[in-house]
Amino acid sequence: MAAADGLPMEAIVMADIAIVLLAGAVMVKLSRRLHQPPVVAEIATGIMLGPSVLGLLPGDLPARIFPHDALPMLSAIAQVGLALFMFLAGWELDLSRLRGRGRAVGTMAGLAMAVPFVLGLGAAALLFGGHGADGVSGLSFTLYLATAFSITAFPVLARIIRDSRLSHTRVGTMAMACAAIGDVVAWCVLVLVVAIADASGAGQFLSVVAWTVAYGVGMAVIVRPLLHRVVRRVARRGDTASLLILIVSGVFLSSYATSWIGIHAIFGAFAFGLIMPHGQAPELHEHVGFPLEKAAGLLLPVFFVITGLSVDIGALGAGGLLSLALVIAAAVIGKFAGAAIPARLSGMSWREAGAFGALMNTRGLTEIVILDIGRELGLIDAEMFTMMVVMALLTTTMAGPLLRVLRVGPSAPAAGGGPAAVPRDSPDAHLDTVPSGTGLRPLPEGSA
């Protein structure tokens, strides 16, 4: 395949990737000076390279730099990076850590999801007439949008908590626990929403649900024990190359399985991460986790640009700006009302409760992934997609400044009397480089 100027399309795609990586690197450096996580810079880079900013210049630069014929190749590359990220996010989400957290955590996590979900239902009902895509039922639209409103981005939240030195504080530990529970619930709800939206009738919907349940049982009962056994055996032999191939193949095959079922490929990658062993072999993170984080960090910026090409803030108009204000208000009020008020009632100070609300209001990359699913399935129109992406960017950007204003730091004790935060200059505070966009915690060398 060749472009109009005679260059092979493959060469154009490689040049596009170079442009994306260089632009993203510059923005990430700027974001660090502004105390923002890398994902904020990369979402902003994607928007800047699209019609919202670059498109304002003469010559239709987004279409010239990213020609239509190059988009399928770029999308395929982006999906590989997204699958690896979702696998790492699932692996990061160690559900065993939630045992013994108590009824209070479950209640707070439920309210932190339920309140924005209900407000999202109301906002979606108001927006459906103007922004529901053709052929989409009101039920699918409202359920999908309410789920998107209730999201907290667990991986990005982990990065913000670590960078703010809140890992061993009551606010930080509670936010991580609630976000972990919320993430699992949100993905389960989203599976049902996608099944409803994609099914042509009740029979197909029940078939998708049945296959999904069978897939989940098979992953938990058959694949998980087998994977743990194989990982232990290969790790003992020190054959890390074979182990990396095995795990990456498992991620892609699991993604294929969920796509075949009729939900979405990223659910398979996320589920494969959930069943990965935690703490069995230190080499597992060093020889598998770190390389995959690097690969995801290189490929994910392409996903943000593909997303940014569908975001056109200038096309919203006056009516769109009013709808955008409604979206942002519902998202922020829902998360703060559902998280900060219950936190205050549980015994936190207003300052701690405000910080907890700010952390739970972080949406980041998880929200972008969910919005991309809605865009692919045609659940929302282009304007609604733009508004939700802007909301995700703003709510994620808000967390850092709010934490600094509230001055919630590592001096606050962790729930249950946890240890004090480790100072940055301590030899135990090893902070390795995390790939841009993943937001995953850096694992110390030799740690499980």
Side-chain angles (χ1 to χ4, degrees):
M1 185 184 296
D5 54 6
L7 285 173
M9 192 55 63
E10 293 83 357
I12 294 176
V13 169
M14 286 188 284
D16 287 343
I17 294 173
I19 292 171
V20 171
L21 292 176
L22 291 171
V26 172
M27 289 296 292
V28 166
K29 284 186 177 294
L30 177 61
S31 74
R32 285 173 180 159
R33 296 194 174 194
L34 298 175
H35 306 287
Q36 292 292 341
V39 67
V40 169
E42 292 182 340
I43 296 173
T45 301
I47 294 174
M48 288 172 59
L49 292 176
S52 296
V53 178
L54 194 62
L56 299 178
L57 301 176
D60 195 11
L61 292 179
R64 291 179 63 85
I65 297 173
F66 305 102
H68 185 268
D69 290 341
L71 295 183
M73 292 187 197
L74 291 171
S75 295
I77 293 169
Q79 289 304 311
V80 171
L82 186 57
L84 294 178
F85 166 79
M86 292 305 298
F87 162 73
L88 291 168
W91 192 7
E92 169 77 5
L93 196 59
D94 187 356
L95 298 180
S96 64
R97 296 179 181 178
L98 299 179
R99 293 172 189 162
R101 289 283 183 164
R103 188 177 302 173
V105 174
T107 301
M108 290 178 65
L111 289 172
M113 280 205 67
V115 175
F117 188 91
V118 171
L119 279 182
L121 286 175
L126 294 174
L127 294 167
F128 176 67
H131 300 286
D134 294 337
V136 174
S137 68
L139 176 64
S140 298
F141 179 86
T142 52
L143 285 178
Y144 165 77
L145 215 57
T147 305
F149 273 110
S150 62
I151 285 295
T152 294
F154 179 84
V156 177
L157 177 66
R159 177 65 183 263
I160 292 174
I161 288 175
R162 191 208 70 185
D163 288 349
S164 302
R165 299 174 63 196
L166 297 174
S167 299
H168 298 292
T169 65
R170 175 168 54 178
V171 172
T173 54
M174 185 67 75
M176 289 290 287
C178 291
I181 295 172
D183 252 22
V184 174
V185 173
W187 287 115
C188 292
V189 172
L190 192 63
V191 167
L192 290 177
V193 173
V194 171
I196 292 172
D198 223 20
S200 56
Q204 187 181 353
F205 170 73
L206 293 175
S207 174
V208 169
V209 172
W211 276 110
T212 302
V213 172
Y215 162 82
V217 172
M219 292 290 283
V221 175
I222 299 173
V223 179
R224 185 176 185 273
L226 182 62
L227 179 64
H228 283 222
R229 196 173 301 119
V230 171
V231 165
R232 281 197 300 267
R233 185 175 303 171
V234 176
R236 278 199 302 266
R237 293 203 308 261
D239 190 1
T240 55
S242 297
L243 185 59
L244 184 60
I245 292 172
L246 172 69
I247 291 174
V248 172
S249 299
V251 172
F252 293 154
L253 288 174
S254 183
S255 298
Y256 172 82
T258 54
S259 184
W260 180 84
I261 287 171
I263 38 179
H264 197 281
I266 65 166
F267 295 119
F270 184 74
F272 198 81
L274 284 177
I275 65 170
M276 276 292 292
H278 293 275
Q280 286 193 0
E283 297 83 4
L284 192 60
H285 292 290
E286 181 181 353
H287 297 293
V288 175
F290 286 165
L292 293 185
E293 286 180 7
K294 299 295 184 184
L298 284 173
L299 298 177
L300 268 178
V302 181
F303 170 75
F304 289 115
V305 168
I306 295 295
T307 301
L309 292 174
S310 301
V311 174
D312 189 356
I313 299 174
L316 290 179
L321 291 177
L322 288 175
S323 297
L324 176 60
L326 172 63
V327 165
I328 295 173
V332 174
I333 293 172
K335 275 297 182 184
F336 272 89
I341 294 175
R344 178 71 181 99
L345 295 176
S346 73
M348 288 188 187
S349 67
W350 275 116
R351 180 177 292 179
E352 289 177 310
F356 179 70
L359 290 169
M360 296 301 292
N361 192 42
T362 302
R363 288 174 172 86
L365 178 55
T366 307
E367 181 81 356
I368 302 297
V369 173
I370 289 176
L371 295 177
D372 192 63
I373 293 174
R375 181 179 63 85
E376 285 184 10
L377 296 177
L379 291 173
I380 51 178
D381 64 7
E383 286 191 359
M384 192 74 248
F385 179 75
T386 295
M387 289 185 282
M388 293 297 288
V389 170
V390 172
M391 179 271 289
L393 178 61
L394 290 178
T395 53
T396 306
T397 305
M398 288 168 59
L402 284 175
L403 290 176
R404 288 194 295 277
V405 168
L406 293 168
R407 297 179 182 177
V408 175
S411 59
V422 180
R424 282 188 181 273
D425 55 357
S426 166
D428 296 327
H430 174 73
L431 297 179
D432 204 343
T433 302
V434 177
S436 299
T438 62
L440 300 172
R441 77 180 186 279
L443 293 164
E445 292 182 6
S447 68

